[in-house]
Amino acid sequence: GQNIDQPTEMTATEGAIVQINCTYQTSGFNGLFWYQQHAGEAPTFLSYNVLDGLEEKGRFSSFLSRSKGYSYLLLKELQMKDSASYLCATNQAGTALIFGKGTTLSVSS
Amino acid sequence: GAGVSQSPSNKVTEKGKDVELRCDPISGHTALYWYRQSLGQGLEFLIYFQGNSAPDKSGLPSDRFSAERTGGSVSTLTIQRTQQEDSAVYLCASSLGLAGALDTGELFFGEGSRLTVL
């Protein structure tokens, strides 16, 4: 089975940096994904890590440590539009993505 | 179409009625997934298809739930004898292959079908 934990809520201010952590337990790990979901909208893909290390993509970066079962999503230069739910997801090879409950990020001015 | 299309976008039904939710994936995507999202909750996996086959039905909450996919394209999720706890947004997603099999394994989600059971 798979178990994914991430904080329920986080708050931050515009221009700041925020790190959203995710820990997971899964057999046959085959990658860790981060999705963003604005209220009332469909989730959209942010990042994918299968090897240890940091993947940078503009203001967003994602880190993975497979030995620790740990990932984080780093958001820099926060903007109001970054207020959303951030979903961590893992999968075993050849199966569907299993999502965590999501972290709701509120960005204030 | 350009994206994943789901219908209906909203469905209000009475307890005990059957409902059918439809998903039209992105053309050429072999994998199709159904998830359920209750208010303020994460995505709950229901079932996925690789082609017309459903290798993993473990997420279906009860035998009132069933899904099929025909022609490797459109999928229908059927809920029989609906209950109030079935109220949720049902999200469909598709991917080119199974998540993880490709470089990104990106899932493309539809806008969802919001089901309200009175």
Side-chain angles (χ1 to χ4, degrees):
Chain A
Q2 299 177 70
N3 187 40
I4 300 170
D5 288 312
Q6 51 182 131
T8 304
E9 295 181 337
M10 297 185 72
T11 59
T13 54
E14 268 189 304
I17 299 173
V18 70
Q19 177 174 313
I20 304 174
N21 296 322
C22 170
T23 58
Y24 64 89
Q25 293 176 321
T26 182
S27 56
F29 176 80
N30 198 46
L32 187 130
F33 301 77
W34 284 96
Y35 280 76
Q36 179 190 57
Q37 186 178 27
H38 285 99
E41 298 182 10
T44 54
F45 172 82
L46 285 179
S47 68
Y48 169 68
N49 294 68
V50 66
L51 299 176
D52 290 352
L54 188 68
E55 295 278 345
E56 298 187 74
K57 191 186 296 184
R59 293 189 299 115
F60 292 7
S61 302
S62 56
F63 171 84
L64 175 67
S65 169
R66 289 172 296 172
S67 63
K68 296 181 179 178
Y70 168 68
S71 172
Y72 67 73
L73 181 68
L74 192 70
L75 292 76
K76 303 177 185 176
E77 302 168 14
L78 280 174
Q79 302 175 10
M80 298 292 285
K81 67 178 182 179
D82 297 329
S83 293
S85 182
Y86 291 85
L87 308 172
C88 175
T90 67
N91 77 315
Q92 299 170 263
T95 67
L97 289 191
I98 302 300
F99 287 82
K101 294 189 184 300
T103 299
T104 300
L105 173 66
S106 299
V107 181
S108 60
S109 57
Chain B
V4 177
S5 177
Q6 291 187 246
S7 62
S9 55
N10 277 286
K11 176 72 176 179
V12 180
T13 190
E14 294 180 346
K15 177 181 173 181
K17 300 285 188 182
D18 297 352
V19 297
E20 281 190 355
L21 307 176
R22 175 189 167 104
C23 174
D24 201 341
I26 293 172
S27 178
H29 280 195
T30 62
L32 184 148
Y33 311 79
W34 284 99
Y35 291 87
R36 177 169 73 173
Q37 188 170 35
S38 301
L39 188 62
Q41 299 298 308
L43 274 67
E44 176 188 2
F45 168 72
L46 298 178
I47 187 172
Y48 86 94
F49 291 88
Q50 177 60 22
N52 291 334
S53 300
D56 188 354
K57 304 179 182 179
S58 63
L60 294 177
S62 74
D63 58 8
R64 296 186 295 104
F65 287 72
S66 63
E68 65 174 13
R69 188 180 186 196
T70 56
S73 181
V74 172
S75 175
T76 302
L77 178 69
T78 302
I79 309 172
Q80 295 178 307
R81 305 182 302 281
T82 52
Q83 303 293 313
Q84 289 184 332
E85 61 262 29
D86 299 335
S87 296
V89 176
Y90 289 81
L91 288 162
C92 176
S94 70
S95 66
L96 198 57
L98 288 177
L102 304 177
D103 286 345
T104 66
E106 179 177 357
L107 298 191
F108 295 83
F109 282 86
E111 294 297 320
S113 292
R114 180 176 298 278
L115 174 66
T116 302
V117 182
L118 302 177

